[in-house]
Amino acid sequence: MSDVISLESIPTISPMFRLQWEEVQDAFVILYPEGMVKLSQSAGETLKRVDGAASVGDIINDLEAQFEGADLKDDVLQLLEVSKENGWIKTTS
Amino acid sequence: MAGLKQQVNQAGHTVTPPLWLLAELTYKCPLQCPYCSNPVEIAAHKNELSTDDWIRVMREARKMGSAQIGFSGGEPLIRQDLEELIAEARQLGFYSNLITSGVGMDEARIKAFKKAGLDHIQISFQASNEELNNFLGGTKTFEHKLEMARLVKKYEYPMVLNIVIHRQNIDQMTDILDMVVSLDADYVELASTQYYGWSLHNIDQLLPTRDQLERAEKIAHEYQDRYKDKMKIIYVVPDYFEGRPKKCMNGWGNIFLTIAPDGVALPCHSARQLPGMDLPSVNDFSIEQIWNGSNDFNKFRGMDWMKEPCRSCDEKEVDLGGCRCQAYMMTGDATNTDPICTKSSEHQALLDDVARIETNALNHVEEKPLIFRNMKNSKKHLDSLTKSE
Ligand code: SF4
Ligand code: SF4
């Protein structure tokens, strides 16, 4: 992949999309013009930590703390890369 | 779908949430597009819900799981309470879409909508040049639309540009796409006219020929490729040439809930014409009662209503038998297979009609004039109905 995401970069949700919790779906969703993507639980847990302040490394640490020491680095990086490809998030550097 | 709260209603149907609330705020419109999807009977439905009614509808639908709201019409900008409705939608957590011709908009309003929390604006163009755009819309709007599109970008909304495609503008596909590229659209919807309401009246002038369609598709695909990193171009070709119908509304009573200006709840914006509908109004029932319990929304839910050949067809989950309105308009029975399907016994009649239209088009024969969508023509239509009764 051309733009690999580094641990230091800081992701933000792109202004073209909105992430929100949907009670009736029991899931996080990404909303955009006339459409909606329902996120898996792990994708939702990751993207809800994207707040424009936390770095990718912070997000991984936070998730690993919550899910008791699981090694989530590769999964998170992969998810963020896909999210970036879809235009859902932007990253610094 | 795991996690999705489905429920089985009294009629025994599995009911999913009405994800999409289409709020048709008014049938009034300064334009007169001859392909307008509003009913031809607009002049008979002049009552409009109040601001409070709409707020109640939004709250109830949101509770049922609606996540997207489309403010449309007619022309939604005619409603002076639009800012207020947008603010309420945002506060309730809707993703709000304004679907407009751009007429009635100015910079101050675009700014106010942003402040109220509007998420996205879709502007429709009739064509890519002033003359044809203004002719089709029945009024001078082209320059204004261009200006509004630029402002939508300036205020950093995601911008969808929508162009309804038909025989009168399909040969301008290159120009249309160059225009949307120059306006820096994020999404482009090239929507082939669908034939009900006004467009069915005008189908002889609107249905493109096969040749036209092939050329246009090729051009659209080129642009899709070339700009794939910049904008998403969606071209929905007319199902008249496909041999299989579309899964209309993604399934009856499945995700779409339309509320007409007078408060009538509809499974699709054209369903008002079908016989045997109760047409429940939000003035009398809650959204929950309408969505889960009404006769109208259960009528064609799922597949139990199907007759042959759909009933035993192995493709029935793919298209759910197509469009109920099309089936009704072409066969007189809404439970029939959509005649677009090659398995329909009425399919040959459809092909014959398409051939007649195409022959007339190639020979420039006009059997009847183009009728523009306006209250005067709607009244004329209503008068002719009462006379023939
Ligand atoms: S299609 Fe044209 S006439 Fe109909 S509501 Fe839209 S802008 Fe108005
Ligand atoms: S017969 Fe009915 S279900 Fe089968 S493909 Fe045709 S429309 Fe679809």
Side-chain angles (χ1 to χ4, degrees):
Chain A
M1 216 164 299
S2 52
D3 49 357
V4 181
I5 297 177
S6 74
L7 293 178
E8 291 74 41
S9 68
I10 297 173
T12 43
I13 302 288
S14 146
M16 301 291 280
F17 294 88
R18 205 162 95 200
L19 173 77
Q20 88 184 19
W21 174 257
E22 278 293 295
E23 193 58 47
V24 174
Q25 305 284 334
D26 199 14
F28 277 95
V29 299
I30 297 269
L31 293 159
Y32 53 93
E34 297 171 31
M36 178 176 105
V37 177
K38 186 175 160 183
L39 298 176
S40 67
Q41 203 208 342
S42 54
E45 283 296 328
T46 308
L47 291 181
K48 84 172 188 202
R49 288 169 165 78
V50 170
D51 59 3
S55 70
V56 173
D58 296 338
I59 292 171
I60 294 171
N61 290 338
D62 196 31
L63 283 164
E64 287 181 345
Q66 178 166 344
F67 295 98
E68 281 155 26
D71 181 6
L72 300 173
K73 187 174 160 210
D74 289 349
D75 290 352
V76 172
L77 284 175
Q78 203 192 349
L79 175 84
L80 291 177
E81 266 156 31
V82 172
S83 302
K84 195 172 172 180
E85 262 172 46
N86 288 337
W88 301 343
I89 61 166
K90 294 190 163 146
T91 51
T92 56
S93 70
Chain B
M1 257 190 274
L4 185 58
K5 285 180 192 157
Q6 295 182 340
Q7 55 182 98
V8 177
N9 69 3
Q10 285 184 324
H13 298 289
T14 306
V15 182
T16 48
L19 284 181
W20 240 110
L21 174 63
L22 194 66
E24 295 186 333
L25 297 180
T26 178
Y27 281 144
K28 295 193 193 106
C29 185
L31 274 67
Q32 313 177 33
C33 309
Y35 52 75
C36 182
S37 61
N38 288 156
V40 185
E41 295 78 17
I42 42 175
H45 310 298
K46 283 197 164 158
N47 291 343
E48 287 184 9
L49 293 180
S50 69
T51 311
D52 287 347
D53 292 332
W54 278 115
I55 289 178
R56 176 171 46 85
V57 166
M58 287 194 281
R59 286 195 184 140
E60 290 178 3
R62 181 76 186 120
K63 222 186 229 152
M64 300 274 302
S66 295
Q68 294 273 350
I69 187 166
F71 293 109
S72 82
E75 176 47 68
L77 293 168
I78 291 199
R79 291 279 299 221
Q80 292 308 311
D81 57 358
L82 186 54
E83 286 78 351
E84 199 180 337
L85 297 178
I86 289 169
E88 179 69 18
R90 181 68 192 88
Q91 200 258 323
L92 288 168
F94 275 107
Y95 188 94
S96 54
N97 305 272
L98 175 60
I99 299 161
T100 174
S101 70
V103 178
M105 198 142 82
D106 55 23
E107 184 157 4
R109 264 193 122 181
I110 291 181
K111 224 166 147 174
F113 294 152
K114 190 91 199 181
K115 205 166 146 236
L118 181 64
D119 289 293
H120 142 239
I121 299 181
Q122 171 185 316
I123 299 184
S124 62
F125 279 83
Q126 280 62 37
S128 55
N129 67 66
E130 179 148 17
E131 199 186 336
L132 186 59
N133 182 84
N134 296 351
F135 169 71
L136 289 168
T139 139
K140 284 191 183 174
T141 58
F142 188 67
E143 282 303 325
H144 179 74
K145 282 167 184 278
L146 289 176
E147 200 188 318
M148 289 308 111
R150 288 182 201 116
L151 285 171
V152 167
K153 290 300 286 188
K154 179 177 161 195
Y155 284 89
E156 296 181 337
Y157 290 98
M159 180 167 76
V160 178
L161 295 181
N162 169 289
I163 302 101
V164 175
I165 303 293
H166 45 73
R167 195 194 310 146
Q168 316 280 334
N169 65 5
I170 193 168
D171 290 333
Q172 277 101 57
M173 191 53 96
T174 307
D175 289 349
I176 290 172
L177 286 163
D178 285 341
M179 175 183 80
V180 299
V181 168
S182 77
L183 289 171
D184 203 13
D186 299 295
Y187 301 81
V188 181
E189 286 174 10
L190 304 166
S192 292
T193 311
Q194 289 187 300
Y195 296 98
Y196 28 63
W198 296 90
S199 50
L200 188 64
H201 263 262
N202 294 317
I203 187 168
D204 283 21
Q205 280 92 345
L206 295 177
L207 191 70
T209 65
R210 266 172 216 260
D211 264 3
Q212 282 186 308
L213 196 68
E214 267 166 38
R215 268 179 275 140
E217 265 191 283
K218 224 176 114 206
I219 297 167
H221 288 152
E222 277 168 29
Y223 277 77
Q224 278 168 337
D225 251 16
R226 198 181 318 159
Y227 293 99
K228 63 173 179 289
D229 296 327
K230 246 184 119 296
M231 64 179 70
K232 194 163 171 199
I233 302 173
I234 301 159
Y235 185 19
V236 188
V237 299
D239 53 6
Y240 272 53
F241 299 103
E242 301 262 277
R244 284 292 180 271
K246 296 204 164 68
K247 186 178 184 180
C248 193
M249 303 311 284
N250 210 26
W252 185 274
N254 183 29
I255 56 174
F256 285 102
L257 169 62
T258 297
I259 307 294
D262 57 355
V264 167
L266 297 165
C268 98
H269 54 270
S270 152
R272 203 168 196 142
Q273 59 172 308
L274 297 175
M277 298 284 284
D278 295 339
L279 304 176
S281 166
V282 298
N283 291 316
D284 306 315
F285 300 98
S286 71
I287 298 296
E288 201 268 333
Q289 287 172 318
I290 290 170
W291 183 257
N292 287 334
S294 73
N295 165 49
D296 287 9
F297 279 79
N298 285 318
K299 220 179 175 77
F300 303 114
R301 239 182 202 137
M303 290 176 282
D304 290 346
W305 55 271
M306 287 180 179
K307 298 200 292 199
E308 295 298 346
C310 293
R311 177 169 278 274
S312 50
C313 177
D314 57 11
E315 292 172 61
K316 66 180 175 188
E317 306 212 358
V318 180
D319 57 42
L320 294 174
C323 169
R324 295 305 88 222
C325 298
Q326 220 151 244
Y328 170 67
M329 290 181 303
M330 293 187 214
T331 75
D333 181 349
T335 63
N336 277 339
T337 298
D338 184 338
I340 298 293
C341 183
T342 53
K343 299 185 189 182
S344 158
S345 57
E346 313 279 332
H347 185 68
Q348 190 53 48
L350 173 89
L351 293 183
D352 293 346
D353 207 37
V354 170
R356 176 190 63 81
I357 293 170
E358 182 151 337
T359 310
N360 280 347
L362 296 173
N363 296 320
H364 304 283
V365 174
E366 213 175 63
E367 288 180 15
K368 48 183 189 183
L370 198 63
I371 296 173
F372 286 90
R373 175 252 201 237
N374 54 42
M375 289 296 168
K376 200 170 120 224
N377 284 333
S378 177
K379 276 195 205 103
K380 249 196 224 161
H381 167 77
L382 292 169
D383 288 347
S384 74
L385 289 182
T386 37
K387 262 179 221 140
S388 61
E389 258 167 23

